[in-house]
Every structure is written in C-alpha cells, then in structure tokens.
Amino acid sequence: LGGKCCVIDTEQHSIRRYSRSFAPWDFDILPLTDYGVDDYLKAIDECIEERYDVIVVDTATKLWGSKGGLCETAEEHAQNKPGTIQLGWNRAKNQAKRVIEEYAKAPCHLIYTFRSAGEYEKEGGKFKMVGERIDFAKGVEYESNVLVWMNVEHSARIDVRGSEPVDIVKPSLDDFKRIFADFETGDNTNAVVFENPVNRVKTADVKD
C-alpha cells in the first residue's frame, strides 16, 4: 500500500522479528501493553496525529479476549451483579463495535489481524467443532473491504467485497499487490487477516 506505516504491536515486540522480511520498507512500531478500550483508542489517536498512510493492528483480538479485555470485563460484571450476564456481554459487544468504528474513521489504509477460534454447535448433547471464526465480537468481518483467512500452512482464502472468494496457496507480495490495486484511489481499505502506547521504534533501529 506504500507510504508511512505504523504497526500497533500487542504481541510483546514480536513484529521486530519480521523487520528484515519487509526490507527495504521501514515501518514504525507502537507497542501496546494494556488492552482496554481506552488503550486501543489512544493508540489510534496517536497514529492519526502522526499522519500515517497505513496502520496495522496486530492483534485486535487482545481487546476482546486478553487479561483486562472485554470478555473479562463482561464476566466480572456478571459475578458482581448476578442475573445480568447478558447485559454484560451486550455492553462488551457495543464497546468492541465502538473501537472498530473509531478505527475505521482513520484517514488511511487500515489492516487488522485477529486470532481464530473454533466454531461449535451442539449435536446429540455434545458440542462439535464445525469450523473456525474470528476471535472477536461477531460481525466484525462485515466492517472490512477485504477479508483474508490464513491457515497454518499460510494458504489463504481472500474475500474482496463484491467479488467471489479466491483461494491462493502461500500468497506472495505480488498477489496482494494485485488484490489491493483496486483500492489505490485514496479511499480507506480495511483488511482483516486471521491469525499504554510507549516509544515508537523504527525498523532501522532493530537491524544489525
């Protein structure tokens, strides 16, 4: 997508390990060590202030399922106020939606990564795994122009809004360049990929 890029990194600086893979393109790193709603909103505000052309959020799942995330908050609400579990979960979903909507307002290309989780259905008194889903509030996939499902072999199903899904075995950089070519008009591109902000770090600073 080009331009000035920042990665909001929730994975304990793991993005540094990929810096050489993306050479010669430098990107900034904004580590996120707390995963509440305000923490994610503060991170995007800082990126917008710095006028980034591309923002990568790796991973948005921490907002939903990590310690201090929305799921934990919903469960604590149910424990403190018995009989209100649905109210707690509804609030968590609304908060997740609020964060995604605020990120979507960013005047740049926006890429999220999410972890995946099993999708289960009850059958004969037992739960059976029937597929996978995004480990986040339901419906987030509809907020994106491009949805990329990656498996452990790095093969992908790429679903561009308004087009038929395309399966690619180990997609290359050129594959993604072709996919995103239609979005190189200045409009926001929100892509989803399965899988307290502090000092910003250039990838050049972590190269040997």
Side-chain angles (χ1 to χ4, degrees):
L1 297 174
K4 186 179 176 184
C5 176
C6 183
V7 178
I8 299 173
D9 177 22
T10 72
E11 301 284 11
Q12 292 77 49
H13 308 289
S14 66
I15 193 65
R16 292 169 179 261
R17 294 196 291 269
Y18 298 100
S19 61
R20 292 178 182 82
S21 301
F22 295 106
W25 302 288
D26 280 340
F27 53 87
D28 295 344
I29 301 172
L30 188 58
L32 199 63
T33 55
D34 295 304
Y35 312 120
V37 170
D38 290 342
D39 302 302
Y40 271 87
L41 292 178
K42 183 178 179 181
I44 191 65
D45 286 344
E46 189 168 336
C47 288
I48 291 172
E49 185 177 340
E50 293 292 332
R51 298 180 180 275
Y52 285 102
D53 301 296
V54 182
I55 300 172
V56 180
V57 186
D58 183 31
T59 165
T61 291
K62 290 286 185 74
L63 171 66
W64 185 247
S66 69
K67 183 174 177 58
L70 291 171
C71 289
E72 185 177 89
T73 302
E75 290 170 356
E76 289 176 352
H77 181 92
Q79 291 174 1
N80 295 332
K81 296 183 178 180
T84 62
I85 186 169
Q86 192 58 51
L87 181 63
W89 280 109
N90 288 343
R91 181 181 178 186
K93 292 173 184 176
N94 289 336
Q95 290 282 68
K97 182 178 179 181
R98 174 191 166 204
V99 171
I100 295 300
E101 287 177 347
E102 288 300 316
Y103 270 58
K105 294 176 184 177
C108 61
H109 296 292
L110 185 61
I111 300 173
Y112 307 98
T113 73
F114 291 89
R115 295 173 181 174
S116 62
E119 185 76 55
Y120 294 87
E121 290 182 358
K122 197 169 185 179
E123 184 178 291
K126 296 182 179 180
F127 284 97
K128 178 182 178 182
M129 186 173 174
V130 295
E132 288 188 313
R133 61 176 179 80
I134 297 176
D135 191 5
F136 201 77
K138 287 186 177 180
V140 67
E141 62 269 27
Y142 301 115
E143 303 298 327
S144 304
N145 291 326
V146 181
L147 181 66
V148 183
W149 299 78
M150 297 287 292
N151 63 23
V152 293
E153 286 83 23
H154 297 135
S155 293
R157 166 157 287 198
I158 301 171
D159 191 352
V160 179
R161 184 176 293 180
S163 303
E164 290 295 319
V166 176
D167 293 319
I168 301 179
V169 178
K170 295 184 178 179
S172 66
L173 180 60
D174 287 338
D175 290 325
F176 282 106
K177 283 182 177 179
R178 288 195 295 270
I179 291 162
F180 286 109
D182 291 340
F183 295 98
E184 287 296 293
T185 59
D187 296 332
N188 280 14
T189 297
N190 299 321
V192 176
V193 181
F194 276 84
E195 189 235 336
N196 314 333
V198 289
N199 294 330
R200 187 174 294 104
V201 182
K202 283 280 190 181
T203 55
D205 297 335
V206 298
K207 294 176 184 174
D208 295 332

